[in-house]
Amino acid sequence: RALGGEGGFVVRVRGLPWSCSVDEVQRFFSECKIANNGTSIHFTYTREGRPSGEAFVELESEEDLKIAVKKDRETMGHRYVEVFKSNSVEMDWVLKHTGPNCPDTGGDGLVRLRGLPFGCSKEEIVQFFAGLEIVPNGITLPVDFQGRSTGEAFVQFASQDIAEKALKKHKERIGHRYIEIFKSSRAEVRTHYEPQRKVMGMQRPGPYDRPGGGRGYNSMARGVSFERMRRGGYGGDGRYGDSGSSFQSTTGHCVHMRGLPYRATETDIYNFFSPLNPVRVHLEIGPDGRVTGEADVEFATHEDAVAAMSKDKANMQHRYVELFLNSTAGGGSGGYGGQMMGSMGKTSPSDISNSY
């Protein structure tokens, strides 16, 4: 444990190359003393065991912490690395609740898909996993309170071995969208997806809903909050807040951006899509008041949104940016665009928007 009382002297590092080693982190922080003779470097991992690009580093003193924080935005290899002040409570929570051995990641043959095209059918999912046995009635497509698809699915395979093969299709495409695949568990479905089928007034809050926040249900219904929480949408006190976005489309033709540099501005995003002219850019803000590295960009037409997808994986500054199409030909605002301006920042369950 680092010195310094309850909080310790801890920094959170983000944007590390996936192949990054302890030695490289030690060299990056060579001007400050890392606790326990330089060994207190803790990488975090996804539930699939892949490096997340983040780490926590414990330092020996307040002075070392100050020096470490000044390394924010310096480069390691071709990537710039972000360094934030953290604390031991946050670090312990994240290390306990991420990675392949975290609770509720037992091997029961269940996977979660994210990024499905709007209106994707169970038949298309069966076709996507052709040759891999799915149990009868083994596909669940969650919907939000208004009955709209969340862009996610749970698929129960006949065995854990088959599920492991299914995970290898991570980032393969259905239509124009590439699909993300994650290990899941019945506990995850039970905790994060089943409550939304109950009547709103009778529902008990889930473990991540913020009492009185008025937005906890919204994030669960959108079906993205749990994943974002594991990626790092936590508050400074080590508890996860809701990180749902109040974005609602007025045109129905959007592109979702992920992996933005954390200093990116709306102007940078307009320039990124030039010569296309987005109608509106919405930078997402997390529960800690910081940008999340994600944004929703609205276009006037489906054709513009499709054209914008040609920039998928293009670089902004030193980062490549992932794009996700959220538009269908002829798809309008779905009847909820008119209330958008009145609901920015105070989303209620009655105006949940599905940006994913």
Side-chain angles (χ1 to χ4, degrees), residues 37 87 96 116 129 165 180 248 254 282 291 305 342 353-354:
N37 296 320
N87 58 62
K96 183 180 173 186
L116 294 168
F129 288 117
K165 289 177 186 164
E180 296 176 283
Q248 291 189 314
C254 295
H282 175 79
V291 289
S353 147
N354 232 353

Side-chain angles (χ1 to χ4, degrees), residues 24 45 58 106 110 171 237 274 310 321 355:
E24 287 171 286
Y45 297 89
E58 296 180 82
L110 192 66
K171 300 279 180 79
D237 58 0
S274 178
S310 66
V321 177
S355 323

Side-chain angles (χ1 to χ4, degrees), residues 253 302-303 327-332:
H253 306 299
H302 178 63
E303 289 68 32
S327 172
T328 50

Side-chain angles (χ1 to χ4, degrees), residues 176 251-255 299-309 325-331:
H176 294 298
T251 67
H253 306 299
C254 295
V255 169
F299 292 90
T301 65
H302 178 63
E303 289 68 32
D304 279 358
V306 170
M309 289 300 295
L325 185 64
N326 189 18
S327 172
T328 50

